[in-house]
Structures are given as C-alpha cells and as structure tokens.
Amino acid sequence: MGFDKTLLVGKTILVTGAGKGIGKACVEKCVDAGAQVIAVARTLSDLQTLQQYAPSQIEIWSLDINSDAFFERLKALKTLDGLLNNAGINRVAPMLEQTDENIDDVIAMNIRSVYKISQAALPALINSGTGAVVNMSSQMGFVGSPKRTLYCMSKHAVEGLSKAMAVELADKNVRVNTVAPTFVETPMTKPMLEDATFKQFVYDMIPLKKIAQTDDIANACVFLLSGLSAMITGTSIKIDGGWTAQ
C-alpha cells in the first residue's frame, strides 16, 4: 500500500533530521513518490547509508541545522517545493529539575530552528509557486503530560507558529501544516518503551492500543507535501491513535 509513484515527480523536498527514525522514513516515502530529496542531518554516516536507498534522488547535506552555514545554503536555493521541519529533541524531567541548558536546548532545536529554517527557505518556497511546509509537531502540542513541560511548551509553539505562517503565506500560495504523532517506535523511544510502567501508561492513553510506526507519520507528511492537500493549510494531522480525543 502506498502513494502513486508519480505523486511528487518534479518536486524537490528538503527534510531535516533525516538520518534516523521518522526523518529517514519521510525521505524514503518522498523518494518512493518520485521526489528529489535534500536530506539534512549532522551525522554523515547516517546520510551516506540513507543515500544508498536512491542515489540519484537523494542529495545529502551534513550540517548543523542551527548553523549559519546551513541557513546560507538554504537561502541560495532558487526553488523548493516542500520543506519538512522534522528535527527535534526532548528533555524529560520534572519541572523543578529542568536546567537552563535543557531549556535553551529545547527552545533552540524545537522552536528557533523551525522559525529560522522556514524563514531562510521562504524565498525558494515562494518561487516554486506551490510551496508546502510541514512542521513536525506532537500530540503534546495539544495536551500536557508529566515531566514534559519543555517538550509540550515547544510543540504548542510549533502549532501556533504554523497557524500564523499559514495565514501570512496563503497569498503567496505557500501552505503550512503540522503532523502531530503520538509515541512512535524508533531507536530513540525504544529504551523508554522498555520500561513496563511507562509502556502501560502509553497504551492506557491510546484507544487503538498500539504504538505508531514511522511509516504512519511519513505517509501523512507525503500527503501534506503533495497536491492532494492543495486546499489544506493551517491545520494539523494528529497521528495519535485517539490520545487527544479523550
């Protein structure tokens, strides 16, 4: 099951946090739909492995997404059809234990980078004529949860930013939406889900009683980056198994 292989033919999509997990799946799904993809991550070896999936369709940029070098390279793009701001981090701890370093790190990666990357890519997105931005949010952009004050704060900010971008950029024919996953099975979440108490908490909160897979998220991103969603902007697709419906 999948999208038509011509769905994204002729489009160039840039994906941040592309080396592992959700980002890697998004790159592969975009390639499967015919896109040329610029895959961005810090770890070159991850990108080189990913590039083997489709060498002629995947261009790799091994850069820090908060670096001036990355912003300048983005600004040099003539056109860009799609931008997927996927990179992000989490710092799990009670609020009283969160350090200034944790606060600054989460803001820099989950909020500031989304703003700065979108700002730098905007001229190229406008030039494409049908630019689409997908910002990776979370179910935590709609609810709260223990020990996740920083993550919830950052993802609520992503939701607000995305709505404002959608309204401001609509007359430039640039659409902006978010994808908001529940817990997804990735190398990063695997250790958390090995904790029996935490795993039970997650399953109790998800009516569908299962953990999301990376392809579940990637499929929603491809849809929002494609012409199938030409009338959709300023909203979110929640891939949460019903968590936020309760």
Side-chain angles (χ1 to χ4, degrees):
M1 183 175 65
F3 292 104
D4 188 295
K5 295 183 185 297
T6 65
L7 183 62
L8 297 178
V9 166
K11 293 185 179 294
T12 299
I13 311 294
L14 187 144
V15 180
T16 67
K20 295 184 177 72
I22 293 172
K24 178 176 179 288
C26 288
V27 170
E28 292 172 352
K29 288 288 185 182
C30 285
V31 164
D32 290 346
Q36 297 294 127
V37 181
I38 300 171
V40 186
R42 282 181 294 187
T43 306
L44 180 58
S45 59
D46 287 344
L47 291 174
Q48 289 171 332
T49 300
L50 175 60
Q51 192 175 37
Q52 293 172 17
Y53 185 79
S56 65
Q57 288 177 255
I58 300 174
E59 178 181 347
I60 59 174
W61 292 7
S62 179
L63 290 167
D64 181 338
I65 62 166
N66 279 311
S67 67
D68 289 340
F70 177 52
F71 298 139
E72 291 306 313
R73 195 163 179 181
L74 266 179
K75 290 174 185 177
L77 292 174
K78 299 300 181 185
T79 64
L80 185 65
D81 301 287
L83 169 64
L84 174 51
N85 282 309
N86 168 69
I89 60 171
N90 194 4
R91 296 288 183 267
V92 179
M95 190 172 185
L96 286 172
E97 297 176 15
Q98 291 288 8
T99 64
D100 286 350
E101 182 180 13
N102 283 349
I103 295 169
D104 292 344
D105 286 349
V106 170
I107 289 173
M109 183 61 73
N110 292 7
I111 304 174
R112 186 181 187 273
S113 74
V114 175
Y115 197 104
K116 290 283 289 181
I117 291 167
S118 300
Q119 188 180 49
L122 191 52
L125 288 162
I126 293 171
N127 286 341
S128 79
T130 55
V133 178
V134 177
N135 292 325
M136 191 59 66
S137 181
S138 167
Q139 64 186 15
M140 298 303 171
F142 298 89
V143 296
S145 192
K147 299 182 181 180
R148 283 170 170 76
T149 50
L150 291 181
Y151 195 71
C152 290
M153 172 184 71
S154 69
K155 294 306 183 179
H156 275 72
V158 167
E159 290 295 331
L161 170 60
S162 300
K163 288 180 175 66
M165 287 173 63
V167 172
E168 180 171 328
L169 301 176
D171 65 351
K172 297 176 175 61
N173 208 31
V174 174
R175 298 182 298 106
V176 185
N177 294 287
T178 71
V179 167
T182 185
F183 288 90
V184 182
E185 190 173 311
T186 67
M188 184 178 72
T189 61
K190 185 179 179 182
M192 292 189 291
L193 293 169
E194 287 174 348
D195 180 309
T197 302
F198 179 73
K199 184 176 181 179
Q200 189 61 52
F201 163 71
V202 170
Y203 273 80
D204 287 346
M205 292 297 291
I206 300 177
L208 284 181
K209 301 304 178 191
K210 58 183 178 180
I211 304 297
Q213 303 300 307
T214 55
D215 280 359
D216 295 324
I217 318 307
N219 284 332
C221 292
V222 170
F223 168 70
L224 289 173
L225 290 165
S226 78
L228 294 176
S229 58
M231 194 58 188
I232 301 176
T233 196
T235 193
S236 178
I237 295 181
K238 300 174 187 174
I239 309 170
D240 66 357
W243 184 307
T244 62
Q246 303 175 94

